[in-house]
């Protein structure tokens, strides 16, 4: 470890102050990213129409779903198992965790790409893809390879470099805006815009990887990392790695399953709407979900910053501070989310009409409000799942997701088949309320919630 720079330099703030400080940094990126994202959607819907944009949304939703299904959420592994060796100055121990995390990313990307390629070739009718995008949809599966970038994200979070994460978040949107603008000049088409979206995924992946490697070099953590990567496979095969890092295999599998189950509130909605309502409906749903998620994003950003702080408090056995932080974060995020919902109720329809026209606003506004209400409920409960994972109860977090999935996904299919786009919002809100309720019950009923120590 270099003498010039210690392995980890934490700001001299703690608890919710550090969380909110990092949220402020990420919001700086959102100030740029949000209007760019809205500009891109406006251009895409006007150049291609709701049907053409819906085709793009369906292909992207499928690719993202396949990527998320096999995503091991390895950034959580970096935080949980890498923080202690990093702060203890154990460079080799930290590098072994990073090597394992990189392996998970690579494995997830390859599995997602292979599965996506197979389904897009042999089961296109199930996806609701019209014949004109069969070839484009198959090629679009290449983007799945660049969606597995959890390890660089975890590294930047553990190094407290949220400023770099904020920059990375703008890259994909900027590429989409610039690419769509040039396509408009030369003649926009669905295959051309699909290529722009693929390149945007690659650009974001490359940017994030470059910044993470640069931070490793600055901290003298790249030296010897290649050797640890080479030695990892033999250590995995003989079980030495898992004996050294107890519980890491179960934790990685739990985060993967939890991520897969979380898809029911993510891009899978676009897939279901596209399959039963059609590309235009998928396009409207994509616009509504993007707007709802964008409005709630300031509150939702708190979750990405609370994980590292919870990991530090759990490492130090500061459980009183840990649960105090949970309450503070819930109040802060919930208050912000509720305020944004109220603002949308007052000013949402005129702005939406200006954005996508009267017809699009009529189709999109109701589902947008329902989805935003679901986002607000989710942000009130956003520290619950990080708390369960941090306190070694990943199985409980996954159980809550699984029970919710058993109720929500069949309900989503049924209401979309019967009510079309109008049914998505209410069932999503009910599903989120059920999930948050289950997570809260699991947190409250655990005897270990009692304070263990107080630094």
């Amino acid at each position: 470890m270099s003498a010039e720079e210690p392995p980890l330099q934490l700001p001299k703030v703690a608890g919710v102050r550090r969380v909110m400080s990092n949220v402020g940094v990420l919001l700086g990126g959102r100030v740029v990213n949000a209007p760019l994202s809205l500009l891109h959607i406006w251009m895409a819907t006007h150049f291609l129409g709701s049907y053409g944009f819906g085709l793009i949304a369906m292909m992207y939703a499928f690719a993202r779903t396949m990527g998320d299904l096999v995503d091991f959420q390895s950034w959580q592994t970096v935080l949980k198992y890498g923080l202690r060796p990093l702060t203890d100055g154990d460079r080799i121990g930290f590098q072994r965790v990073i090597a394992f995390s990189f392996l998970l990313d690579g494995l997830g990307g390859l599995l997602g790409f292979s599965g996506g390629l197979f389904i897009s070739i042999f089961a296109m009718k199930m996806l609701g893809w019209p014949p004109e995008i069969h070839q484009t949809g198959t090629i679009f599966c290449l983007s799945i390879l660049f969606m597995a970038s959890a390890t660089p994200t975890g590294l930047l979070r553990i190094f407290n470099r949220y400023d770099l994460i904020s920059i990375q978040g703008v890259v994909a949107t900027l590429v989409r805006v610039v690419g769509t603008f040039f396509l408009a000049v030369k003649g926009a088409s669905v295959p051309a815009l699909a290529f722009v979206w693929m390149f945007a995924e690659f650009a974001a992946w490359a940017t994030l990887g470059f910044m993470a490697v640069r931070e490793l070099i600055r901290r003298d953590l790249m030296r010897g990392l290649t050797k640890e990567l080479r030695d990892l496979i033999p250590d995995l095969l003989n079980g030495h790695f898992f004996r050294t890092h107890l519980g890491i295999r179960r934790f990685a599998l739990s985060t993967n399953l939890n991520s897969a189950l979380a898809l029911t509130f993510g891009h899978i909605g676009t897939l279901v709407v596209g399959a039963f309502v059609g590309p235009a409906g998928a396009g409207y749903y994509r616009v509504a979900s993007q707007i709802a998620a964008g409005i709630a994003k300031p509150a939702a950003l708190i979750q990405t910053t609370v994980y590292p702080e919870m990991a530090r408090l759990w490492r130090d056995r500061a459980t009183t501070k840990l649960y105090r932080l949970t309450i503070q974060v819930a109040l802060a995020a919930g208050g912000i989310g509720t305020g944004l919902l109220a603002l949308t109720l007052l000013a949402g329809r005129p702005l939406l009409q200006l954005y996508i026209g009267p017809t699009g606003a009529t189709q999109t506004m109701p589902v947008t409000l329902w989805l935003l209400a679901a986002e607000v409920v989710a942000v009130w409960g956003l520290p619950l799942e990080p708390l369960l994972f941090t306190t070694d109860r990943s199985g409980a977090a996954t159980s809550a997701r699984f029970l919710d999935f058993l109720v929500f996904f069949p309900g989503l299919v049924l209401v979309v088949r019967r009510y079309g786009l109008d049914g998505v919002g209410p069932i999503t809100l009910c599903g989120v309320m059920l999930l948050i309720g289950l997570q809260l019950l699991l947190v409250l009923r655990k005897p270990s919630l009692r304070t263990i120590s107080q630094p």
Side-chain angles (χ1 to χ4, degrees):
M1 195 67 62
S2 113
E4 290 79 12
E5 182 148 10
L8 181 63
Q9 292 183 337
L10 298 178
K12 294 183 179 180
V13 292
V16 74
R17 286 181 295 165
R18 179 154 56 218
V19 171
M20 298 308 294
S21 174
N22 289 328
V23 168
V25 173
L26 292 175
L27 280 176
R30 291 300 302 177
V31 169
V32 178
N33 194 42
L36 285 176
S37 181
L38 292 175
L39 175 61
H40 165 67
I41 293 177
W42 180 86
M43 289 193 298
T45 53
H46 280 71
F47 298 151
L48 295 179
S50 59
Y51 182 85
F53 179 73
L55 294 176
I56 298 291
M58 290 169 68
M59 287 186 285
Y60 178 78
F62 172 68
R64 178 58 70 177
T65 298
M66 293 305 302
D68 289 347
L69 277 173
V70 292
D71 184 1
F72 288 93
Q73 293 289 301
S74 51
W75 65 268
Q76 295 188 38
T77 303
V78 172
L79 290 175
K80 186 168 182 62
Y81 289 91
L83 182 61
R84 184 172 294 278
L86 180 62
T87 53
D88 290 346
D90 180 6
R91 179 169 57 85
I92 293 177
F94 177 71
Q95 288 177 333
R96 292 182 71 77
V97 174
I98 299 307
F100 179 68
S101 184
F102 273 125
L103 178 65
L104 293 179
D105 281 356
L107 180 62
L110 289 173
L111 288 175
F113 169 69
S114 302
L117 199 62
F118 180 85
I119 294 174
S120 65
I121 293 174
F122 297 106
M124 289 186 177
K125 291 185 178 180
M126 181 184 71
L127 298 173
W129 290 0
E132 62 263 30
I133 66 163
H134 282 187
Q135 184 177 4
T136 304
T138 301
I139 297 173
F140 196 85
C141 290
L142 286 170
S143 64
I144 300 173
L145 294 170
F146 306 111
M147 294 177 179
S149 57
T151 300
T153 301
L155 288 170
L156 294 179
R157 286 176 180 173
I158 206 172
F159 294 145
N160 209 57
R161 293 307 307 267
Y162 285 88
D163 54 334
L164 300 182
I165 296 177
S166 179
I167 294 171
Q168 182 270 342
V170 179
V171 171
T173 305
L174 186 61
V175 170
R176 288 176 183 173
V177 169
V178 174
T180 305
F181 175 78
F182 280 107
L183 290 181
V185 175
K186 292 183 173 289
S189 66
V190 170
L193 187 60
F195 175 79
V196 170
W197 279 44
M198 287 175 59
F199 185 74
E201 290 298 321
F202 168 76
W205 173 83
T207 301
L208 193 63
F210 169 78
M211 293 189 298
V213 168
R214 190 183 67 170
E215 290 303 307
L216 287 171
I217 294 173
R218 288 184 63 236
R219 290 164 170 80
D220 193 29
L221 292 169
M222 279 296 293
R223 179 168 50 89
L225 182 57
T226 303
K227 178 181 180 299
E228 297 305 325
L229 286 167
R230 286 198 310 265
D231 295 343
L232 179 63
I233 299 299
D235 279 357
L236 290 174
L237 294 176
N238 62 31
H240 175 71
F241 179 84
F242 297 119
R243 289 192 296 271
T244 305
H245 301 85
L246 296 176
I248 193 170
R249 175 167 46 191
R250 180 173 57 83
F251 182 82
L253 292 174
S254 294
T255 55
N256 168 254
L257 179 57
N258 195 71
S259 173
L261 293 172
L263 285 173
T264 50
F265 298 116
H267 297 283
I268 205 168
T270 306
L271 292 178
V272 173
V273 173
F276 293 106
V277 181
Y284 286 132
Y285 176 80
R286 170 73 179 178
V287 171
S289 60
Q290 284 286 96
I291 292 173
I295 293 172
K297 193 67 174 182
L301 284 174
I302 296 176
Q303 187 179 54
T304 66
T305 62
V306 76
Y307 264 104
E309 188 61 29
M310 283 184 166
R312 294 183 184 107
L313 293 173
W314 183 250
R315 173 201 61 191
D316 297 334
R317 313 305 295 170
T319 52
T320 296
K321 290 184 178 180
L322 174 62
Y323 294 109
R324 184 188 304 139
L325 174 65
T326 301
I327 296 172
Q328 291 171 330
V329 167
L331 292 174
I336 294 172
T338 303
L340 292 171
L341 174 60
L343 185 62
T344 305
L345 288 171
L346 293 174
R349 185 174 292 276
L351 293 176
L352 199 57
Q353 288 177 341
L354 181 65
Y355 181 53
I356 57 175
T359 302
T362 301
Q363 292 281 339
T364 307
M365 188 63 189
V367 70
T368 300
L369 292 176
W370 279 108
L371 294 179
L372 181 56
E375 293 277 0
V376 171
V377 174
V379 298
W380 272 102
L382 66 82
L384 297 175
E385 188 168 270
L387 179 64
L388 291 170
F389 274 98
T390 300
T391 55
D392 298 323
R393 285 178 282 160
S394 57
T398 304
S399 297
R401 287 278 183 188
F402 182 69
L403 289 173
D404 186 58
F405 172 82
L406 292 178
V407 175
F408 173 72
F409 182 68
L412 175 66
V413 174
L414 288 174
V415 298
V416 170
R417 291 184 66 177
R418 180 163 183 173
Y419 301 106
L421 189 62
D422 292 336
V424 179
I427 192 66
T428 301
L429 176 59
C430 291
V432 172
M433 292 175 66
L434 175 62
L435 175 64
I436 298 302
L438 289 171
Q439 291 174 342
L440 182 60
L441 286 175
L442 288 170
V443 167
L444 293 178
R445 71 186 290 270
K446 188 69 178 178
S448 63
L449 277 180
R450 293 191 298 267
T451 300
I452 298 173
S453 64
Q454 175 65 52

